[in-house]
Amino acid sequence: MALPAASRQEFRQEFRQDLADIPILEDAGSVRMRSRDFFWFSPILKEALEDKRAEIIAVPRNKADVMRIAAACARHRVPLTVRGGGTGNYGQAVPLAGGVVLDMGKLDQVIWHKAGAGRFAAGARMLDIDRALAPAGHELRFYPSTRQHATIGGFVAGGAAGAGSCTWGQISDPGAVLAVEVVTVEDQPRVIELTGRDVLKVMHAYGVNGIITEVEVPLAPSHPWCERIATFPSLSAAARCAQTFTECDGVAKKLVTVHDPQVVPFLRRLATYAEPGHAMAIVMVSEPQADAFELMVADHGGCVTFRRTAEDARKAAFAETSGLQPLYEFTWNHTTLHAIRIDPTITYLQLRFPPANNLELVDWVAAQFHGEVLLHLEFQRRFGKVTCSSLPLVRYTTPQRLDNIMAELNAEGVAVSNPHTFVLDDAGWKRVDAPQAEFKRMADPYGLMNPGKLADWQDTRELA
Ligand SMILES: Cc1cc2nc3c(=O)[nH]c(=O)nc-3n(C[C@H](O)[C@H](O)[C@H](O)COP(=O)(O)OP(=O)(O)OC[C@H]3O[C@@H](n4cnc5c(N)ncnc54)[C@H](O)[C@@H]3O)c2cc1C
């Protein structure tokens, strides 16, 4: 898509003049790297997005810089795509129309925190937030397995769940985000505070309708999270143990993951902790209560094969030691990353199992698609019920076959969200009551923000 200025050269000069001393990156390497995310997990998105690039990367140092960049984009009608850690999987952070990528990495302050809540600048990385909270005995309720690089703003705008969801649910659940500060992209940008249900306006909106500059979330009291790996003779046995453990409200837990026996060999560094053909459960549990988990493992015919103390797990997470990375980096969508490194033809899907019959459906999927859809289960507590979701590995053949698998799963009652599209509305699970397009008309009147990601908007936007 062409830039609105007469020529690229002219655009750069005019834009630079407007931005004055705000740091800008224009070298080909930086522009390429910061125009990408992990869309290449999908063979379909890889083909569609590989060559998409911004014109320049703007790196604001503070909110005032963000507002100047937003004003300059509005004035020159330049597309603007916000970037946090760039760890999204659907090309959400890929600029489809060139223009500016706004790298939020320097807005990384902890603004305040107290028991129960904290407020953070949007570019703060989630691992760094937890590092800052630790001395006060607080922690984020949940984080994606990309905790090391993902930002709190990117998680709100593009993420869903992760370690902690076994206790606290998902980012879209009521009360999971208390407030969001947003800068509009107008000739005179405004700063808007969204609270209550209004946060849904920008939640999981891929940054199409405002630049999130601050995020306020509830915090949990921190626990000494130790790590355990347990193995089981079958996926079914591991899943039933994980379900029982997650339902056990009296045990404080941060992570409950189960890997099908076919997935385990892809987790190269963990494979030695399971006999061939065995399923694997990975948990983070409050150290004083680890025995409760171990007893449940024995009850379900399993065996604990790996134990790491909370202190050693903490050091692994905060990179204070070399050696095995934190176990949450072998769960959620890190599983796909490990698998693709071994077999580049692997891709993945996103499934949610209804709480009423999740384990029966897990058994059905495992049998129906054996060898093609390889399950790993992420156990979660939502709205008082325990269920699991999955980002199963898929042995990819054709787009048609992928569509057929999704249709068959949906027909059986497994909710599928399609991770092979960058269009927000096409992914499934979208909240129909989230007034994102409506908010966009106000916060982004020229339709400059992350163009191409919101289908409803495409007809009316006026980009060349
Ligand atoms: C290996 C791997 C594992 C993953 N595991 C998980 C997981 O466990 N759970 C999960 O939910 N996700 C997971 N993801 C996806 C991703 O890591 C998370 O969603 C993460 O929270 C994204 O944060 P980010 O800062 O990298 O966002 P980015 O990728 O930079 O951006 C995501 C979207 O938000 C927009 N955005 C970013 N910052 C802002 C802002 N300040 N204002 C407005 N819009 C903004 C971007 O334009 C983009 O559309 C995984 C991805 C990978 C590659």
Side-chain angles (χ1 to χ4, degrees):
M1 198 172 284
L3 283 167
S7 74
R8 190 168 295 187
Q9 196 59 33
E10 238 179 280
F11 154 71
R12 283 188 173 155
Q13 277 170 6
E14 289 172 13
F15 204 74
R16 270 223 191 97
Q17 275 163 16
D18 273 14
L19 300 191
D21 61 338
I22 295 175
I24 281 174
L25 303 171
E26 289 181 276
D27 63 284
S30 301
V31 168
R32 178 178 182 274
M33 285 307 292
R34 295 185 202 208
S35 296
R36 296 169 67 80
D37 62 13
F38 285 74
F39 62 80
W40 48 270
F41 276 20
S42 159
I44 294 160
L45 294 180
K46 191 169 166 31
E47 204 177 313
L49 299 178
E50 189 62 44
D51 63 344
K52 303 291 183 228
R53 301 271 189 287
E55 293 291 314
I56 57 172
I57 313 296
V59 190
R61 298 155 298 188
N62 49 43
K63 204 182 303 175
D65 282 358
V66 170
M67 294 179 77
R68 277 168 59 199
I69 295 165
C73 285
R75 192 171 314 128
H76 296 282
R77 305 288 196 273
V78 172
L80 183 152
T81 302
V82 190
R83 179 181 180 82
T87 67
N89 294 120
Y90 327 120
Q92 304 109 298
V94 174
L96 301 181
V100 173
V101 158
L102 185 73
D103 184 328
M104 296 294 285
K106 295 266 186 286
L107 277 81
D108 61 354
Q109 302 76 22
V110 173
I111 295 165
W112 54 258
H113 63 93
K114 60 185 180 185
R119 190 167 174 111
F120 311 96
R125 294 179 194 275
M126 298 178 84
L127 183 71
D128 292 336
I129 291 176
D130 269 340
R131 195 182 267 125
L133 296 176
H138 309 148
E139 63 180 33
L140 290 172
R141 285 179 162 188
F142 42 72
Y143 48 77
S145 60
T146 45
R147 181 190 194 194
Q148 189 181 353
H149 300 289
T151 62
I152 188 91
F155 189 51
V156 167
S165 293
C166 57
T167 302
W168 298 108
Q170 300 217 347
I171 191 76
S172 57
D173 291 347
V177 177
L178 303 173
V180 175
E181 182 188 82
V182 178
V183 167
T184 61
V185 178
E186 301 176 273
D187 299 285
Q188 290 181 335
R190 287 170 290 160
V191 179
I192 297 174
E193 178 86 356
L194 300 174
T195 56
R197 284 214 179 91
D198 281 347
V199 299
L200 291 174
K201 291 174 177 171
V202 293
M203 177 96 75
H204 208 72
Y206 292 1
V208 298
N209 59 7
I211 304 165
I212 299 172
T213 42
E214 293 182 9
V215 176
E216 198 174 308
V217 288
L219 301 177
S222 63
H223 281 264
W225 302 117
C226 68
E227 298 173 331
R228 295 288 184 270
I229 293 176
T231 64
F232 299 81
S234 66
L235 173 68
S236 190
R240 277 153 182 81
C241 180
Q243 176 85 17
T244 307
F245 178 57
T246 312
E247 283 169 354
C248 195
D249 291 335
V251 178
K253 58 189 86 67
K254 190 81 177 186
L255 178 71
V256 186
T257 296
V258 164
H259 290 296
D260 183 275
Q262 299 168 94
V263 172
V264 176
F266 288 114
L267 309 173
R268 220 191 303 248
R269 297 193 70 188
L270 297 193
T272 52
Y273 296 107
E275 280 176 46
H278 276 54
M280 176 181 275
I282 296 176
V283 306
M284 291 167 67
V285 56
S286 186
E287 195 152 53
Q289 296 186 295
D291 280 355
F293 172 68
E294 298 210 7
L295 289 170
M296 276 177 226
V297 170
D299 288 348
H300 287 83
C303 174
V304 175
T305 58
F306 174 86
R307 296 178 177 87
R308 180 151 61 183
T309 65
E311 179 54 13
D312 286 348
R314 189 196 64 76
K315 283 184 180 160
F318 290 155
E320 291 170 11
T321 178
S322 56
L324 187 63
Q325 64 213 85
L327 290 192
Y328 60 77
E329 290 186 2
F330 294 90
T331 69
W332 291 84
N333 222 6
H334 262 76
T335 314
T336 312
L337 184 61
H338 291 292
I340 287 181
R341 280 181 181 151
I342 290 177
D343 179 353
T345 67
I346 293 277
T347 188
Y348 74 113
L349 284 174
Q350 298 183 147
L351 315 179
R352 268 189 203 165
F353 294 91
N357 59 343
N358 64 319
L359 296 183
E360 289 74 19
L361 282 173
V362 164
D363 292 344
W364 176 81
V365 175
Q368 182 75 4
F369 299 100
H370 185 81
E372 187 176 25
V373 177
L374 320 182
L375 288 174
H376 56 102
L377 310 173
E378 308 301 340
F379 282 82
Q380 296 168 44
R381 171 172 288 285
R382 296 192 75 198
F383 303 102
K385 295 190 174 115
V386 169
T387 189
C388 52
S389 62
S390 182
L391 300 149
L393 306 180
V394 176
R395 294 193 195 279
Y396 179 71
T397 49
T398 63
Q400 185 57 50
R401 177 61 191 149
L402 211 50
D403 283 347
N404 290 347
I405 294 171
M406 288 191 274
E408 209 178 325
L409 288 163
N410 266 323
E412 196 66 22
V414 181
V416 181
S417 171
N418 181 6
H420 302 279
T421 174
F422 53 75
V423 178
L424 188 54
D425 323 49
D426 293 347
W429 294 346
K430 188 173 178 312
R431 293 187 62 130
V432 286
D433 60 340
Q436 293 168 343
E438 190 187 312
F439 191 66
K440 185 172 173 71
R441 274 185 277 282
M442 188 274 292
D444 179 28
Y446 302 120
L448 298 170
M449 294 204 69
N450 211 353
K453 305 291 170 57
L454 192 62
D456 286 351
W457 186 263
Q458 271 162 335
D459 295 336
T460 52
R461 70 198 168 87
E462 49 175 58
L463 287 170

